Amino acid sequence: MGAGTELSEARRDVAEGSLYLDYNATTPLAPEVAQAVGDAMCHAWGNPSSSHPAGKKAKELISSARENLARMVGGRPEDIIFTSGGTEANNMVIHTACRHFHGSQARPGGSRGMPHIVASSVEHDSIRLPLEQLVKESLAEATFVAVSPQSGQAEVDDVLAAVRPTTCLVSVMLANNETGVIMPVAELSQRVRALNQRREAEGLPRILVHTDAAQMIGKGRVDVQELGVDYLTIVGHKFYGPRIGALYVRGPGTTTPLHPMLFGGGQERNFRPGTENTPMIAGLGQAAELVSKNCEAYETHMRDVRDYLEARLEASFGKQRIHFNSHFTGSKRLCNTSNVSILGPGLQGRRVLSSCKMLLASVGAACHSEKGDRPSSILLSCGIPYNVAQNALRLSVGRDTTRADVDLVVQDLLQAVAQLDQDQAP
């Protein structure tokens, strides 16, 4: 796959003799991205706000990157705001929604009360925790809509049923980081748009729609026109880019409100001040260009390898001993993600991984890695039984993962489980 050899080397550099299947946690920099970052560090170190040639060169790189990101998600360059990462972008959306609600209150006939936000029960912590904090401080109200155990999705009807007169934001991720389930965001946006027309006639605040697309970009089609969202979060390190991010806003400050969380030098049209991180932005732009050019090939390759992985697991352990936690009837999922439990006592995900000699993977979101053997709340939310969820492994393949890698991983899991079974034998 193009620069696959260098990517394979990057993957094996993580630890000698290891095989990395944790691409939903993070990805290595694509070689072209590392090159773009290095070039910008050496040759575009001027302050982008400076009017001399060194500053102009940096500014041009940033403009080019902005165009690449816009092209990748089907938006306009002026709709892209660079941020430090997905966490900042998500917090910015929540902050904006609350500010916009209070602004609409101040107008004659405006609604009264506290801003209310609806999110799914399986959102990333950078959505869930800011909302919980606002609730704790009595600054907002929040409803977390449970996903359906049948589909693994936040069902559109359930999300809309949670809407109140004071609702100002609905935030539902595009694809879940643990199950890989793709959420019905386009349908949700369509329904909210129709609802907003009725609400406007009643003098109720507009409901803004946000999706965190961290896991979807680089693994499937992301088009803001098709999705119909007001905001979309972009996270570089999930698609072989650097650890910064961006926020897509449909007409920031005009069509769609956007309120800064920081105040300073006026960069990013005052929405996100601070001297721009030119090298990382250049890298993000290069990563976006790779996605625009190769996304279909990436998706086809990763789906093939993931499906092969699942077939080999079933063949090796037997269908009775394997439970796929990410298979939901009628739901689509990310091309690279398999959440699987090897059934049996003493085979908790963490124990299995620690008995593996080569496999580097996780039991769920990397941010929750300190939670011991407690099962993933996301899997429990999806209706996976406690003892099955406890044994879960999240295996996520990458652009450079091969079928030969999968064979080695399955062998490694077989020896790990045999060892744990033997340790438990009376």
Side-chain angles (χ1 to χ4, degrees), residues 192-201 205-208:
V192 169
R193 202 175 305 121
L195 178 59
N196 274 335
Q197 289 177 343
R198 298 198 294 276
R199 285 171 67 93
E200 191 178 6
R206 171 183 170 191
I207 299 172
L208 300 159

Side-chain angles (χ1 to χ4, degrees), residues 96 100 206 208-209 229-231 249-258 271:
T96 289
H100 183 64
R206 171 183 170 191
L208 300 159
V209 180
V229 292
D230 299 302
Y231 308 99
V249 185
R250 187 182 299 277
T254 52
T255 308
T256 306
L258 186 64
F271 293 122

